[in-house]
Amino acid sequence: IVPLVSISVVASLLLFVIDLIWPLLGIFFGSVLDWFMKSIFFFLEQFGEKNSVVIETADLSALSVILIYLFLVAVSLSLFNKMVRRIAIASALLVLNIGLTFSLVNAASSDEVKSHLDIFNIPGGSAIIVNQSLTGSPDLIITGVVSRAYPMDERIFETALSGLGVNKIGRIFVLSAEYGAMDDIVRLSNKFGVRELFVDERLSRSFHDIANSVAFFDEGVKLRTFSGKIPTNSNPGIYPSNGRIVITHETAKIFVVSDMNFEASPTESNKLPMAIVIGSSDNLDISVVEDLQKQGYAAVVCSKFVQSPSSFNSKGSMALIHSVDSQGPCRLYITESGTESFILKPIH
């Protein structure tokens, strides 16, 4: 389209000169230029509209784009060549069988991916990466984040996510955040191709202000809010509610909260092992840990726990606490057997 527009500009200037020299020739040249301009507008309407049918290549590798192009060329040639048509059909069947094989392998091993969460500290709280499957992009839960003078999307999130091999995020859930940190989350959403940005209802107005006032908010990111009670749906997934987020696994449930100001007792009957991830754990002490243990939580994951382990006076409480602290990114494993339901290990 761009070269055609350039040609039309040059032709318009040429028409002006021709019309001055020979008006009759100018009329003829103008009619030709008019047809040419209408053709350009036709192509713009067909291929230049926002909702036109195009092949998105942003998430594809260079090799994938080349293969798609070669496939389209082969399909075009097969319309007129019998041999090419046979080769195209045989290649398509081969690719479909290979794709089906990889899909079955991914489906068989998807439970291993779902059986752990990656957790790392951020200023004021924690960030949790939840892998739903091998093929899909992971989701990110952010809680307790506070503002900093430096860009946290570059200094904190990008560094941690790249170290964990994450280059694309499907959804982001924000449970709590200071106003000054919201623009960092918005920039993070743009950089990692986030489809949906879920924020707690209490943060909705502030996030909408950021989205409306800052030009870098990608219109492809859908801003949504969540509130209400914890859903009773037991299917595996992420369920945001008012003041907490529930991560449901086939064999366990994990509750994510911002700080110690939460209702510790689960609102629904639950027979699965439960863990709780506390974003800001400044006021966490042994009495709170013991209360959580009585509530039925098998593990408490926090950003830090400064109290000496010798102060643990309840049998089993020492194994209950999992502190991320300064270990760097950690992985919380959901075990299906043994005495411990959850194990937290540093990621080296």
Side-chain angles (χ1 to χ4, degrees):
I1 299 298
V2 174
L4 295 178
V5 173
S6 301
I7 293 173
S8 66
V9 173
V10 175
S12 299
L13 297 175
L14 186 60
L15 172 63
F16 177 74
V17 176
I18 293 175
D19 189 63
L20 290 177
I21 299 174
W22 192 356
L24 185 61
L25 181 60
I27 294 174
F28 172 76
F29 188 80
S31 63
V32 175
L33 182 59
D34 180 67
W35 173 84
F36 183 74
M37 295 290 290
K38 289 181 178 179
S39 300
I40 293 177
F41 287 125
F42 172 78
F43 285 117
L44 284 173
E45 291 177 356
Q46 294 299 317
F47 303 106
E49 292 185 355
K50 180 180 178 180
N51 298 321
S52 60
V53 179
V54 296
I55 299 177
E56 295 287 348
T57 60
D59 300 330
L60 300 177
S61 63
L63 179 60
S64 300
V65 175
I66 293 173
L67 291 176
I68 291 174
Y69 178 75
L70 292 176
F71 174 75
L72 294 175
V73 172
V75 170
S76 301
L77 294 176
S78 65
L79 297 176
F80 310 99
N81 191 302
K82 187 176 182 180
M83 180 60 67
V84 176
R85 186 160 55 247
R86 290 179 177 178
I87 295 175
I89 293 175
S91 302
L93 291 175
L94 178 63
V95 171
L96 289 175
N97 279 279
I98 293 175
L100 180 60
T101 301
F102 277 102
S103 299
L104 293 175
V105 172
N106 291 341
S109 58
S110 60
D111 287 341
E112 181 181 353
V113 179
K114 294 180 182 179
S115 297
H116 71 259
L117 308 176
D118 293 334
I119 306 172
F120 59 92
N121 283 345
I122 56 177
S126 300
I128 303 101
I129 301 173
V130 184
N131 290 278
Q132 296 292 327
S133 65
L134 273 172
T135 56
S137 301
D139 297 323
L140 177 65
I141 299 174
I142 298 175
T143 178
V145 62
V146 297
S147 60
R148 288 291 184 264
Y150 52 84
M152 287 187 291
D153 55 308
E154 298 178 2
R155 297 273 295 274
I156 303 295
F157 288 100
E158 287 187 36
T159 302
L161 292 172
S162 61
L164 295 171
V166 177
N167 53 26
K168 183 175 177 58
I169 299 174
R171 299 175 296 177
I172 291 182
F173 297 85
V174 183
L175 194 55
S176 61
E178 284 189 353
Y179 185 84
M182 293 180 182
D183 58 339
D184 296 280
I185 298 174
V186 171
R187 287 196 300 269
L188 181 69
S189 302
N190 295 336
K191 292 178 180 179
F192 282 82
V194 174
R195 302 187 311 272
E196 296 174 301
L197 175 58
F198 290 87
V199 300
D200 191 282
E201 188 178 35
R202 297 167 296 179
L203 309 175
S204 174
R205 180 171 297 180
S206 298
F207 264 101
H208 278 286
D209 290 341
I210 295 291
N212 293 330
S213 61
V214 181
F216 54 68
F217 188 73
D218 190 344
E219 61 180 19
V221 181
K222 296 180 180 179
L223 183 59
R224 306 185 186 278
T225 60
F226 61 83
S227 61
K229 297 181 179 180
I230 299 175
T232 58
N233 193 340
S234 60
N235 294 328
I238 300 176
Y239 299 98
S241 61
N242 189 16
R244 70 177 69 181
I245 294 176
V246 182
I247 305 170
T248 304
H249 185 263
E250 290 90 342
T251 59
K253 277 190 176 182
I254 300 173
F255 294 79
V256 181
V257 297
S258 300
D259 48 39
M260 300 307 301
N261 299 318
F262 66 94
E263 181 185 354
S265 179
T267 57
E268 80 279 1
S269 59
N270 181 55
K271 296 182 179 179
L272 296 175
M274 296 183 300
I276 186 167
V277 180
I278 305 173
S280 178
S281 52
D282 294 337
N283 299 322
L284 183 64
D285 57 30
I286 187 60
S287 61
V288 176
V289 174
E290 291 176 344
D291 289 340
L292 292 173
Q293 188 178 30
K294 293 177 182 178
Q295 299 291 343
Y297 291 97
V300 177
V301 182
C302 56
S303 56
K304 61 181 179 179
F305 189 76
V306 296
Q307 193 166 353
S308 172
S310 61
S311 63
F312 283 84
N313 52 23
S314 177
K315 184 178 180 181
S317 294
M318 190 171 180
L320 185 69
I321 281 288
H322 298 285
S323 178
V324 177
D325 204 6
S326 60
Q327 301 180 61
C330 293
R331 180 160 292 174
L332 180 66
Y333 292 93
I334 304 171
T335 62
E336 299 183 7
S337 60
T339 57
E340 293 181 280
S341 301
F342 304 93
I343 299 176
L344 186 73
K345 294 182 178 181
I347 300 176
H348 301 291

